[in-house]
Amino acid sequence: KTNPSNKSSFLHFTLQNGSVRAFDESGYYQCYGDGSSVASRGSEALTGYETLDAPPHYDFYANTEAWGRRRHFRPSLYQLRANPEDESRPPIYEETGGQMERGDTSEEDEDELKEPPPEPTRFGWVQGVMIRCMLNIWGVILYLRLPWITAQAGIGMTWVIILLSSCITGITGLSTSAIATNGKVKGGGTYFLISRSLGPELGGSIGLIFAFANAVAVAMHTVGFAETVADLMRVTVMVDRTNDIRIIGIITVTCLLGISMAGMAWESKAQILFFVVIMVSFASYIVGTIIPATPEKESKGFFSYKAGIFAANFVPGWRGKEGSFFGMFSIFFPSATGILAGANISGDLKNPTVAIPRGTLMAIFWTTVSYLIISATIGSCVVRDASGILNDTLSSSSSSEGCIGTACQYGWDFSECIKNGTCAYGISNYYQSMSMVSAFAPLITAGIFGATLSSALACLVSAPKVFQVHNTSTLSLQLYKDKLLFHICYLLSFVSALIFFLIVSLNTIAPIISNFFLCSYCLINFSCFHASITNSPGWRPSFRFYSKWLSLLCAVCCVVIMFLLTWWAALIAFGVVLFLLGYTLYKKPEVNWGSSVQASSYNIALNQCVGLNNVEDHVKNYRPQCLVLTGSPSSRPALVDLVNCLTKNLSLMMCGNVVTGGPSESAVENACSESHVKWLNQRKVKSFYRGVVAAELRSGVNMLLQGAGLGRIKPNVLLAGFKKDWRSDTPQATHSYIGILHDAFDLHYGVCVLRLKEGLDVSHPSQGHVNPGFEGGRESISTISATSHIRTSTTSSVSIDAELQPGTVFQKKQGKKTIDVYWLFDDGGLTLLLPYLLTRRKRWARCKVRVFVGGEKDKKEEQKADVLALIKKFRLGFHDVESFRHIRLNEVLQDYSRDAALIVVTMPVGRKGVCPTTLYMAWLDILSRDLRPPVLLVRGNQENVLTFYCQ
């Protein structure tokens, strides 16, 4: 509760005993016994029965803060549970009012905060979405091609084309509404919606494709406008008709660019004007269909409503190379593609989650109704062919037997032009049929201007808006902000429109746009389906009227229609998607938006892991799944690199870190810090990381041995560094180290110990989170080089620059060296399997594996032959086997393996509770000491990991 009499920046909390505690900005608290007076600082201490819990608040979940006040911050669990007598600073979560006291802020800050930053223009669902979408849908096709499409396909088939297009856009509108209401929508439009749903890879692809489609649509709508202007200027010809259209179009696009650059307020006012003009033109057209036809209009094919004309025009009348269902569909479909005009300016809407669904669906409904009405009325009033000559009438004396066409029923004979294919009028020939039907033709011309210019303006604004997001002070690029692609907004849209404008032909541009819009809608519907099918708890759209299966069906239909329309354009569209997808996957943008791809990956991994429970283990499918006792992975890079060579793209690797000490916040932070995983990713090591906090090392490792992994994906081999300082360290430390190895054997783990002559540990020995039991002593201090650039943070976590990470011997190409395997004892075959896995790596592929086995002197050759035959049955590719006695094994190692790339030795096992730990440690030390190559001591768990059977 806030005390209104207090002038300082305090946030007060009512405690369970009725008292109130307040925190100021310095972090110290004031005590309020009865809420009316301030006690001296620190005069009252918190008791164990009081809580600092805060009630739910918007700021706890918001990513941004409102102007003029600081955000509330939820106290951490550690702070809530802290000892009330602890003198550490209490949790600071405070709020200051929008009006700051003069004495609390500097004069400079006061000047800056006198006024909030200017708020950009925001629109509601009618002006911002519905009208904008309707204007973008009512484009050039409505006035200049819909009558012609009706003549080609007939009224019935035209309705099928309109309803099919509306089904695609309607389902896409439902999917868009679901995505748009699944959280707070910012700027960036379609790109923002899809990228936050499917991730940056597909988001970037669909963003660029949709922006490109809108830029081409600018050209299409401007061509329609320029065609109309050129028709009005028939008397005045600048060059020729084609170039006149280009000149008019370039001037028009340039003017539209100026309007859009002037700001959204001007653009919105222009759209309202265009909307009014279109409504008036519709009214003029409807009135014109009712007014009785004049002889001049009859000569051009208009006879008002006639049942005979409706019947004749109801069936298709295909003509020309575009004369097919999908040919007409490809030309009409762009007229239904303005449904995302509102979503693309999501950053300029007052309430996008309400405006986008309501405005988009209402726009689809009303425009669909208008298309159906216009196609039905024009098909009921105008014949397909007419000459426009007033003398082509049937006289009372002439016979109608040789008359061709529907107009014969109404006293007109257009047979000659029909036979010759020279009819200039009728809905099959005259694109301006709506103007001819209208009560006042100039209003239809004005409507054409309004529809084409409004659609072109909306597309010109939508293309850059896909990549933009509004800030209070600057206009930044959304894709630039996300580090995906760079886009020069309006200029690129302008240039793209001009390039495609050179085509001039409306019937050529429309199919190209259709494919790109269909591709965009396919990805949008797939995004909705994918987000729904993953069952992620984060998918909670407030818009419920959608179906994931309808979205999937619509996505499939979009792909099928794309290839039915223009197969090569479909391949280009998907090629662009795949190229951009590959580019973003290669760049790997460091963004995390909680996409459905992440949720899907989790579902797949979970289902596969659970499915493994039904699969019994088999020796043929054995994989060494390694738990590596690295401590902080950056402290033992050689151990990490060796195991990575064994497990990369093959099996599980998990780096384990035991932080010794009490369960404190710093200890938990050290154990669970993301810096460890980041270091592994920077080193391109495919490994998991698991940190635990324990009282001492052995108990912590025991936690890892028993708790690491998931189902059957769990470690079965423990790898550790050799404890070189066992002589100088305490006997208890050595006992603990050997005890870890015994614990692993007790839990049926295989055990490997790596020893390097120069040591493994490259970390500073004073770091508390580095496990001293793995590798320690003064020897390891000398391995820290001045060029390793190790930085120790305040939380004792090590971070090493990716480019400056210390190299190890296991990262180098080994050349034609040898991997010497001393298979002293049969441990189930792990000693042989690990070297074989190494040779499957590029950097170890040229190494020759030599196998040394122990035996009796008089049976040397016989035992060598037996082992060689056994190895051949294992199909490991090892052909070099030597027999010797291992009484003086270390001397043999130094004699035979001084130049080896790696020495692998079967590790002897000491009897638990019988063999003293120091004696066993000395045994391992003498076996592996003073060897220049790395030494890997390996001991399987005495169960077979190799087999020569096929079942």
Side-chain angles (χ1 to χ4, degrees), residues 606-906:
L606 181 62
N607 292 333
Q608 293 294 327
C609 286
V610 173
L612 285 176
N613 291 335
N614 300 321
V615 179
E616 295 184 4
D617 290 332
H618 193 281
V619 63
K620 284 173 60 179
N621 295 322
Y622 174 85
R623 297 166 185 258
Q625 303 188 94
C626 303
L627 172 61
V628 195
L629 300 182
T630 59
S632 173
S634 59
S635 64
R636 291 173 180 78
L639 188 57
V640 171
D641 292 338
L642 172 63
V643 180
N644 183 51
C645 290
L646 293 170
T647 62
K648 187 176 182 180
N649 300 326
L650 173 73
S651 60
L652 173 71
M653 174 181 175
M654 181 175 292
C655 294
N657 182 17
V658 179
V659 178
T660 55
S664 63
E665 186 175 23
S666 60
V668 173
E669 183 180 351
N670 285 337
C672 304
S673 174
E674 288 293 325
S675 63
H676 303 303
V677 177
K678 185 176 181 180
W679 184 88
L680 290 169
N681 293 336
Q682 288 174 341
R683 205 170 181 87
K684 297 181 180 180
V685 174
K686 294 186 177 181
S687 171
F688 294 99
Y689 168 82
R690 180 69 184 275
V692 296
V693 179
E696 47 91 23
L697 181 63
R698 183 176 179 181
S699 62
V701 174
N702 204 284
M703 292 181 195
L704 292 172
L705 290 170
Q706 298 191 59
L710 181 66
R712 292 191 180 274
I713 303 181
K714 59 183 180 181
N716 52 27
V717 176
L718 176 71
L719 287 102
F722 185 80
K723 184 174 177 57
K724 294 178 64 176
D725 65 338
W726 68 276
R727 297 176 185 272
S728 58
D729 207 348
T730 62
Q732 181 60 35
T734 304
H735 178 76
S736 176
Y737 178 83
I738 299 301
I740 290 173
L741 305 185
H742 283 300
D743 292 342
F745 287 131
D746 289 342
L747 295 170
H748 302 286
Y749 274 71
V751 174
C752 299
V753 176
L754 177 65
R755 183 172 189 176
L756 296 182
K757 187 175 182 180
E758 65 274 15
L760 292 173
D761 199 341
V762 299
S763 66
H764 196 279
S766 64
Q767 290 177 298
H769 73 288
V770 174
N771 303 325
F774 300 152
E775 175 94 15
R778 298 184 176 273
E779 297 176 62
S780 64
I781 302 176
S782 62
T783 65
I784 302 177
S785 66
T787 59
S788 62
H789 290 266
I790 299 176
R791 300 191 306 272
T792 306
S793 65
T794 55
T795 58
S796 300
S797 61
V798 177
S799 61
I800 303 177
D801 293 337
E803 298 82 2
L804 302 175
Q805 291 189 358
T808 66
V809 65
F810 301 112
Q811 290 181 314
K812 302 175 183 177
K813 287 188 177 181
Q814 301 302 320
K816 293 184 177 180
K817 296 182 180 179
T818 62
I819 299 176
D820 290 348
V821 181
Y822 292 84
W823 195 19
L824 307 180
F825 313 101
D826 195 331
D827 59 348
L830 185 63
T831 306
L832 287 182
L833 180 61
L834 295 184
Y836 167 74
L837 295 179
L838 278 179
T839 59
R840 294 174 61 177
R841 302 299 175 196
K842 265 187 183 180
R843 65 189 65 162
W844 297 85
R846 301 180 66 186
C847 290
K848 178 183 179 181
V849 178
R850 299 189 301 180
V851 180
F852 298 87
V853 294
E856 300 177 11
K857 188 175 182 179
D858 55 342
K859 298 181 179 180
K860 178 178 178 181
E861 293 302 321
E862 181 182 347
Q863 291 176 340
K864 176 180 176 180
D866 290 343
V867 172
L868 184 59
L870 179 61
I871 292 176
K872 284 183 178 180
K873 287 187 176 182
F874 287 147
R875 309 172 307 283
L876 296 175
F878 304 163
H879 304 290
D880 195 348
V881 177
E882 297 291 339
S883 179
F884 61 93
R885 291 181 297 171
H886 52 270
I887 300 174
R888 298 177 292 106
L889 184 57
N890 184 261
E891 296 178 16
V892 173
L893 291 174
Q894 295 192 35
D895 288 341
Y896 284 88
S897 303
R898 63 168 62 93
D899 297 321
L902 177 68
I903 300 174
V904 181
V905 185
T906 307

Side-chain angles (χ1 to χ4, degrees), residues 566-589:
T566 315
W567 65 268
W568 56 266
L571 291 177
I572 292 175
F574 281 106
V576 171
V577 172
L578 293 176
F579 172 78
L580 295 172
L581 179 62
Y583 175 78
T584 48
L585 287 173
Y586 171 75
K587 295 297 290 184
K588 295 180 180 178

Side-chain angles (χ1 to χ4, degrees), residues 92 204 239 242 352 526 536 560 592 617 660 693 707 726:
I92 305 174
V239 183
T242 300
F526 180 74
S536 173
V560 173
N592 184 9
D617 290 332
T660 55
V693 179
W726 68 276

Side-chain angles (χ1 to χ4, degrees), residues 406-466:
T406 310
C408 298
Q409 305 175 27
Y410 310 110
W412 290 82
D413 185 2
F414 302 129
S415 302
E416 184 177 353
C417 75
I418 292 175
K419 291 177 182 178
N420 299 331
T422 58
C423 293
Y425 293 93
I427 55 177
S428 289
N429 309 292
Y430 187 47
Y431 289 150
Q432 303 282 353
S433 294
M434 287 184 65
S435 297
M436 182 264 294
V437 172
S438 174
F440 186 58
L443 288 178
I444 296 298
T445 302
I448 294 174
F449 289 174
T452 54
L453 293 177
S454 64
S455 297
L457 184 59
C459 291
L460 188 60
V461 171
S462 294
K465 285 293 181 182
V466 169

Side-chain angles (χ1 to χ4, degrees), residues 178-476:
I179 296 172
T181 58
N182 190 50
K184 188 176 181 180
V185 178
K186 298 181 180 179
T190 307
Y191 163 73
F192 185 91
L193 296 177
I194 305 304
S195 61
R196 271 55 179 181
S197 175
L198 276 180
E201 296 83 10
L202 283 176
S205 302
I206 191 175
L208 190 58
I209 285 178
F210 193 76
F212 178 74
N214 275 278
V216 179
V218 174
M220 183 188 72
H221 294 297
T222 310
V223 165
F225 171 80
E227 277 187 6
T228 306
V229 175
D231 289 339
L232 295 174
M233 295 173 57
R234 284 179 180 175
V235 179
T236 306
V237 178
M238 292 179 285
V239 183
D240 54 59
R241 177 174 170 79
T242 300
N243 287 309
D244 285 357
I245 292 175
R246 289 171 177 163
I247 294 170
I248 296 168
I250 291 173
I251 297 172
T252 304
V253 174
T254 305
C255 294
L256 293 176
L257 179 66
I259 294 174
S260 61
M261 296 288 286
M264 288 300 298
W266 284 93
E267 188 266 349
S268 181
K269 292 175 182 177
Q271 295 284 27
I272 293 176
L273 176 62
F274 292 144
F275 183 77
V276 172
V277 171
I278 291 174
M279 289 291 101
V280 173
S281 71
F282 282 171
S284 176
Y285 165 75
I286 296 298
V287 171
T289 60
I290 301 172
I291 297 175
T294 63
E296 184 180 359
K297 287 188 175 182
E298 287 183 349
S299 69
K300 295 180 179 179
F302 172 66
F303 296 96
S304 192
Y305 291 106
K306 302 294 182 182
I309 297 177
F310 176 82
N313 288 340
F314 189 82
V315 295
W318 306 118
R319 299 181 186 180
K321 62 180 180 179
E322 297 105 346
S324 64
F325 175 84
F326 285 105
M328 292 300 104
F329 180 87
S330 66
I331 294 173
F332 173 81
F333 187 74
S335 67
T337 56
I339 62 171
L340 297 179
N344 285 335
I345 62 163
S346 55
D348 299 297
L349 300 175
K350 292 179 181 176
N351 189 351
T353 56
V354 174
I356 292 175
R358 188 180 298 175
T360 302
L361 297 177
M362 289 295 288
I364 294 172
F365 174 77
W366 288 117
T367 52
T368 301
V369 171
S370 67
Y371 281 133
L372 294 174
I373 292 174
I374 291 173
S375 64
T377 54
I378 199 75
S380 302
C381 298
V382 186
V383 296
R384 281 191 170 102
D385 297 290
S387 64
I389 302 174
L390 290 173
N391 294 330
D392 286 347
T393 58
L394 282 172
S395 62
S396 58
S397 60
S398 62
S399 174
S400 62
E401 292 181 0
C403 184
I404 301 174
T406 310
C408 298
Q409 305 175 27
Y410 310 110
W412 290 82
D413 185 2
F414 302 129
S415 302
E416 184 177 353
C417 75
I418 292 175
K419 291 177 182 178
N420 299 331
T422 58
C423 293
Y425 293 93
I427 55 177
S428 289
N429 309 292
Y430 187 47
Y431 289 150
Q432 303 282 353
S433 294
M434 287 184 65
S435 297
M436 182 264 294
V437 172
S438 174
F440 186 58
L443 288 178
I444 296 298
T445 302
I448 294 174
F449 289 174
T452 54
L453 293 177
S454 64
S455 297
L457 184 59
C459 291
L460 188 60
V461 171
S462 294
K465 285 293 181 182
V466 169
F467 300 92
Q468 289 180 200
V469 58
H470 276 291
N471 289 335
T472 55
S473 57
T474 60
L475 189 63
S476 61

